[in-house]
């Protein structure tokens, strides 16, 4: 019988849940009962909880407080400090670009479901938070929390007066935009491919006032040791091999298991222990590479499909539409419109 895989997220972000619920006149006990999640998850921010439980809690909070923008309220006091070592390493970076690159590299230690990517094009830097959109309750609130956390980190790195060029959301434009104003963006765009925030690329070179390169190096070494010795060791190994094998046309689970001198079943069990699967890792890397090359516009869609290990363009298009709700070409066009 196959093991059901559950992506997980560190509970640190939920420290803002109870204050936000009570500040909006809600009852935290009612929220947790409606979500069918134990209140114990609020006690220890270092615990990892199933991502679906996180979504259920956010959906229940929005319902109990009658606030469809609950995620924005909850995120107002959240930032890098609520992401544990993953966030703290950002505060020690020598530049804004280095800080976001650190988050991109180590984000999976905080959240095994989503992915953060940093890109630069035509004078704009873009930070994206991508999750596979499955129409689950709580997804909008999750993306709103990400928006609040990301913009708070942006202010921490660039100064409290720093504004964004634009922020994108994948859902419909709400009637009331007032809750979005604290995000300090010149433009809010809705019905886009996912969450993304854009700011002038020259800010990537700005020094970080709190920088401590020695501490950053120590923290990165610590995170790497956690990865190699602990809960993410097999996942990282498999991710690297997927990246190496993707364009060869032989990136199957059996090929990767062979390379690691283990059986398919044993590798599946190791990945299951780390709350992931081969298909989840393959999809994650394909999503990251697809977004990167579509933004850069450096190859034809057929070439990109082959690079990602698809035998034909139609298979790539089906997968992309499943991830982001639109075809690769339409997604690429939407990004060109945003960056103008």
């Amino acid at each position: 019988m196959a093991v059901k895989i559950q992506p997980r997220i560190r509970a640190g972000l939920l420290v803002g849940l109870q204050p936000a619920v009570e500040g909006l006149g809600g009852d935290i006990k009612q929220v947790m009962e409606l979500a069918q999640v134990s209140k114990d998850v609020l006690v220890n921010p270092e615990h990892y909880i199933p991502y679906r439980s996180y979504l259920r809690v956010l959906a229940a909070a929005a319902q109990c407080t009658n606030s469809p923008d609950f995620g924005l309220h909850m995120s107002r006091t959240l930032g890098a400090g609520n992401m544990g070592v993953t966030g703290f390493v950002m505060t020690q970076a020598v530049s804004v670009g280095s800080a976001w690159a650190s988050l991109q590299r180590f984000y999976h230690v905080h959240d095994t479901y989503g992915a953060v990517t940093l890109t630069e094009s035509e004078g704009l830097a873009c930070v994206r938070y991508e999750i596979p959109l499955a129409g689950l309750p709580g997804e909008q609130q999750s993306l709103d929390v990400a928006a609040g956390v990301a913009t708070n980190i942006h202010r921490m790195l660039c100064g409290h007066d720093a504004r964004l060029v634009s922020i994108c959301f994948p859902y419909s434009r709400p009637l009331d935009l007032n809750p979005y104003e604290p995000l300090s963006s010149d433009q809010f765009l809705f019905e886009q491919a996912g969450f993304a925030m854009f700011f002038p690329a020259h800010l990537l070179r700005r020094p970080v006032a709190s920088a401590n390169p020695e501490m950053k190096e120590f923290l990165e070494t610590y995170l790497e040791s956690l990865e190699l010795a602990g809960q993410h060791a097999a996942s990282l190994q498999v991710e690297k091999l997927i990246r190496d094998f993707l364009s060869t046309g032989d990136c199957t689970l059996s090929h990767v298991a062979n390379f690691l001198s283990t059986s398919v079943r044993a590798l599946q069990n190791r990945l299951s222990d780390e709350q992931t699967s081969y298909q989840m890792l393959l999809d994650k890397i394909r999503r990251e590479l697809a977004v990167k090359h579509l933004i850069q516009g450096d190859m034809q869609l057929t070439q990109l499909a082959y690079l990602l290990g698809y035998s034909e363009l139609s298979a790539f298009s089906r997968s992309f539409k499943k991830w982001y709700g639109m075809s690769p070409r339409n997604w690429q066009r939407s990004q060109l419109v945003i960056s103008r």
Side-chain angles (χ1 to χ4, degrees):
M1 182 177 176
V3 178
K4 187 175 182 180
I5 306 299
Q6 290 196 83
R8 292 178 176 265
I9 185 170
R10 186 176 171 276
L13 295 180
L14 290 178
V15 299
L17 179 73
Q18 186 165 345
V21 168
E22 294 174 350
L24 291 168
D27 180 350
I28 188 64
K29 183 179 178 182
Q30 180 188 14
V31 168
M32 303 310 286
E33 287 177 351
L34 180 61
Q36 297 183 325
V37 174
S38 169
K39 197 176 176 183
D40 291 343
V41 303
L42 306 180
V43 176
N44 189 344
E46 298 299 329
H47 284 174
Y48 284 80
I49 63 173
Y51 203 92
R52 283 178 179 263
S53 297
Y54 174 67
L55 292 179
R56 289 204 307 273
V57 168
L58 294 180
Q63 180 178 335
C64 291
T65 60
N66 195 29
S67 302
D69 48 26
F70 176 81
L72 294 174
H73 288 279
M74 179 176 131
S75 67
R76 286 177 183 169
T77 59
L78 301 177
N82 299 101
M83 300 174 67
V85 180
T86 304
F88 186 51
V89 72
M90 297 185 73
T91 68
Q92 308 305 310
V94 295
S95 68
V96 173
S98 173
W100 286 115
S102 293
L103 184 64
Q104 177 178 262
R105 180 182 175 190
F106 292 114
Y107 185 74
H108 63 275
V109 175
H110 170 75
D111 170 5
T112 65
Y113 190 60
V116 171
T117 56
L118 169 67
T119 56
E120 181 179 350
S121 177
E122 299 182 0
L124 288 177
C126 174
V127 174
R128 299 176 183 279
Y129 173 66
E130 302 284 0
I131 58 174
L133 296 175
L136 298 173
E139 281 183 351
Q140 176 176 331
Q141 285 74 34
S142 173
L143 293 168
D144 284 349
V145 170
V149 171
T151 54
N152 287 341
I153 291 175
H154 179 69
R155 291 191 198 97
M156 175 198 75
L157 296 173
C158 300
H160 287 281
D161 58 342
R163 289 186 65 83
L164 298 164
V165 174
S166 59
I167 303 182
C168 303
F169 297 92
Y171 50 81
S172 300
R173 180 185 178 89
L175 295 176
D176 182 10
L177 288 182
N178 286 327
Y180 294 80
E181 290 305 317
L183 299 180
S184 300
S185 177
D186 293 334
Q187 189 178 31
F188 298 103
L189 300 172
F190 298 91
E191 296 185 359
Q192 303 300 312
F195 167 75
M197 69 177 195
F198 292 81
F199 54 91
H202 68 82
L203 292 177
L204 294 174
R205 266 67 73 182
R206 178 174 290 188
V208 176
S210 61
N212 184 333
E214 292 79 13
M215 176 61 75
K216 179 175 180 287
E217 183 178 354
F218 169 79
L219 292 169
E220 288 185 346
T221 301
Y222 171 70
L223 285 171
E224 287 167 355
S225 69
L226 284 181
E227 292 172 337
L228 294 174
Q231 55 186 344
H232 299 286
S235 308
L236 290 173
Q237 237 180 343
V238 171
E239 278 193 33
K240 183 181 184 308
L241 291 175
I242 288 174
R243 293 181 192 277
D244 292 341
F245 293 152
L246 252 183
S247 60
T248 68
D250 192 4
C251 190
T252 61
L253 172 59
S254 58
H255 184 61
V256 170
N258 243 0
F259 190 88
L260 294 173
S261 301
T262 188
S263 68
V264 167
R265 176 60 63 84
L267 181 57
Q268 287 174 322
N269 288 340
R270 285 178 64 192
L271 294 176
S272 174
D273 289 342
E274 296 177 18
Q275 302 298 321
T276 189
S277 70
Y278 182 80
Q279 189 61 49
M280 287 171 63
L281 295 175
L282 178 60
D283 284 348
K284 174 188 172 186
I285 292 165
R286 281 173 163 169
R287 280 159 38 207
E288 290 176 1
L289 292 175
V291 165
K292 173 187 172 184
H293 288 291
L294 286 172
I295 290 173
Q296 292 177 346
D298 54 0
M299 62 178 65
Q300 298 294 320
L301 289 182
T302 302
Q303 291 176 295
L304 180 54
Y306 289 145
L307 173 71
L308 299 179
Y310 291 97
S311 59
E312 54 189 12
L313 176 58
S314 60
F316 167 49
S317 297
R318 284 194 298 273
S319 291
F320 196 95
K321 191 168 185 179
K322 179 180 176 183
W323 298 331
Y324 301 127
M326 64 177 73
S327 71
R329 193 175 302 280
N330 287 342
W331 188 94
Q332 188 178 46
R333 286 171 181 160
S334 73
Q335 301 312 300
L336 290 174
V337 170
I338 291 166
S339 63
R340 284 174 186 163

